């Protein structure tokens, strides 16, 4: 099968196309023919260093997958050949999403939302599960709460805005001015231009902050939380404050989640959640996709199509 392999750790030029053996589904696994693969910041961060992940003989990045079940291993009853599925297999282990086929546990995939094509569905799993697990599983966002989402037009951010709104929250987002109209269309009640305004001077009494930026944003976010509020940071555990000052602080590392995928699909089918796709490129242009993504200017997601 065709796959985009990391020739050596480093820049995007090290992503090269190769022919490798097709995986086979083992016990409890499905083999999925990939129609589209989402691109995420974790892809280029791991491509650059290979850190934290046990790589196989052919390092292949990519965890967002939408495709069709080709075959099932012994014991699988959840899916059948021909089913259209989407998911985030194996994270944070190697999944090999930038390839024609992926093999993974059956429960790392859920039925693809019928309202989405494969490109749109491939934009969802990692970012939407991150938002869901941060907002719902970790912070327990409920109706009437005030939620601040940093980098609200980004891959995780634009989905977090919609999920928080679907749960009845009052949603505030930080983004550049050119993205404010879009965020209001997605449900944001307030939008703050981070280039001209310090968000801690513009908002207060927040119940939950979703921090996808890190750095000084994490420290500054503590100032806007009400007593007992919850700061959820995504960049890494090093960004957690040593003294959360009367609030809760958590770091979330997304994990495969059949229940979460089903909840996300339900929101899509209800018209309450839609992924934004910024750029679509063929699999062989994975290096270009990384170059675009690393500029940090995309709205929504980048997706690779697999013939």
């Amino acid at each position: 099968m065709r796959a985009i392999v990391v020739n050596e750790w480093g820049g995007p030029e090290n992503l090269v196309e190769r022919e490798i053996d097709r995986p086979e589904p083992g016990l409890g696994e499905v083999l999925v023919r990939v129609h589209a693969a989402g691109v995420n910041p974790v892809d280029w961060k791991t491509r650059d260093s290979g850190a934290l992940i046990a790589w196989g003989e052919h390092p292949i990045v990519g965890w967002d997958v939408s495709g069709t079940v080709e075959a099932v291993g012994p014991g699988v009853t959840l899916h059948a050949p021909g089913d259209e599925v989407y998911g985030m297999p194996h994270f944070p282990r190697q999944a090999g999403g930038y390839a024609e086929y992926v093999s993974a546990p059956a429960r790392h995939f859920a039925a693809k939302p019928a309202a989405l094509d494969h490109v749109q569905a491939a934009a969802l799993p990692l970012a939407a599960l991150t938002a869901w697990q941060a907002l719902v599983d970790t912070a327990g966002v409920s109706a009437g709460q005030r939620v601040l989402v940093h980098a609200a037009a980004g891959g995780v951010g634009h989905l977090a805005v919609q999920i928080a709104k679907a749960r009845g929250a009052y949603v505030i987002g930080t983004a550049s001015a050119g993205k404010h109209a879009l965020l209001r269309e997605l449900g944001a009640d307030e939008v703050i231009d981070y280039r001209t305004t310090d968000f801690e001077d513009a908002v207060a009494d927040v119940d939950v902050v979703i921090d996808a930026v890190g750095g000084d944003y994490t420290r500054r976010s503590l100032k806007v939380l009400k007593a007992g509020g919850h700061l959820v940071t995504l960049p890494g555990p090093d960004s957690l404050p040593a003294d959360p000052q009367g609030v809760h602080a958590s770091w979330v590392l997304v994990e495969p989640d059949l229940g979460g995928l089903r909840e996300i699909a339900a929101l899509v089918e209800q018209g309450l959640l839609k992924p934004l796709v910024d750029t679509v490129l063929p699999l062989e242009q994975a290096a270009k996709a990384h170059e675009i993504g690393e500029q940090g200017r995309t709205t929504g997601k980048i997706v690779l199509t697999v013939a």
Side-chain angles (χ1 to χ4, degrees), residues 119-305:
V119 168
Q120 295 169 310
L124 272 177
L126 191 147
L129 281 176
T130 299
W132 181 268
Q133 291 170 13
L135 285 164
V136 181
D137 296 342
T138 303
V141 168
S142 60
Q145 290 190 318
R146 290 166 57 83
V147 176
L148 172 62
V149 179
H150 290 310
V156 173
H158 83 284
L159 298 168
V161 166
Q162 296 175 76
I163 292 171
K165 194 64 183 178
R167 295 183 69 81
Y170 181 92
V171 183
I172 308 159
T174 61
S176 58
K179 299 176 180 179
H180 286 195
L182 171 63
L183 287 171
R184 291 189 182 279
E185 289 178 13
L186 294 179
D189 298 286
E190 287 184 43
V191 192
I192 300 168
D193 184 354
Y194 68 89
R195 293 176 175 172
T196 62
T197 305
D198 290 333
F199 68 84
E200 64 267 37
D201 296 331
V203 63
D205 294 325
V206 171
D207 294 281
V208 177
V209 175
I210 303 299
D211 171 27
V213 179
D216 73 333
Y217 267 63
T218 306
R219 174 184 53 79
R220 291 160 59 198
S221 294
L222 293 173
K223 301 177 182 179
V224 307
L225 282 166
K226 62 173 59 174
H230 206 136
L231 167 66
V232 184
T233 184
L234 307 179
D238 292 343
S239 63
L240 282 175
D243 178 11
Q245 304 173 23
V247 301
H248 304 285
S250 304
W251 169 57
V252 167
L253 178 65
V254 67
E255 56 187 298
D257 180 359
L258 174 61
L261 288 171
R262 286 174 167 170
E263 295 280 5
I264 289 161
L267 290 179
V268 171
E269 301 293 8
Q270 294 167 43
L272 299 175
L273 182 66
K274 62 178 180 179
L276 300 179
V277 177
D278 183 281
T279 304
V280 181
L281 294 168
L283 180 65
E284 58 268 23
Q285 292 187 31
K288 182 178 179 180
H290 279 215
E291 290 170 359
I292 294 170
E294 287 182 281
Q295 293 173 9
R297 298 191 180 94
T298 56
T299 301
K301 297 292 295 295
I302 300 170
V303 177
L304 301 172
T305 57

Side-chain angles (χ1 to χ4, degrees), residues 6 8-11 42-53 55:
V6 183
E8 61 182 55
W9 306 119
V42 68
D43 298 5
W44 55 79
K45 290 175 182 177
T46 51
R47 178 218 70 217
D48 192 52
S49 65
L52 302 179
I53 294 173
W55 297 96

Side-chain angles (χ1 to χ4, degrees), residues 14-97:
N14 290 311
L15 294 172
V16 297
E17 184 176 331
R18 286 188 183 170
E19 286 286 333
I20 65 173
D21 292 337
R22 192 181 85 170
E24 296 298 330
L27 289 168
E29 292 186 336
V30 294
L31 177 68
V32 174
R33 180 172 184 172
V34 180
H35 295 293
V39 177
N40 295 284
V42 68
D43 298 5
W44 55 79
K45 290 175 182 177
T46 51
R47 178 218 70 217
D48 192 52
S49 65
L52 302 179
I53 294 173
W55 297 96
E57 179 183 0
H58 301 289
I60 306 170
V61 295
W63 287 271
D64 275 341
V65 169
S66 183
T68 304
V69 175
E70 185 83 1
V72 300
V76 173
T77 59
L78 184 64
H79 305 298
D83 288 352
E84 292 189 319
V85 295
Y86 82 126
M88 186 196 68
H90 287 304
F91 192 85
R93 293 171 50 206
Q94 175 175 324

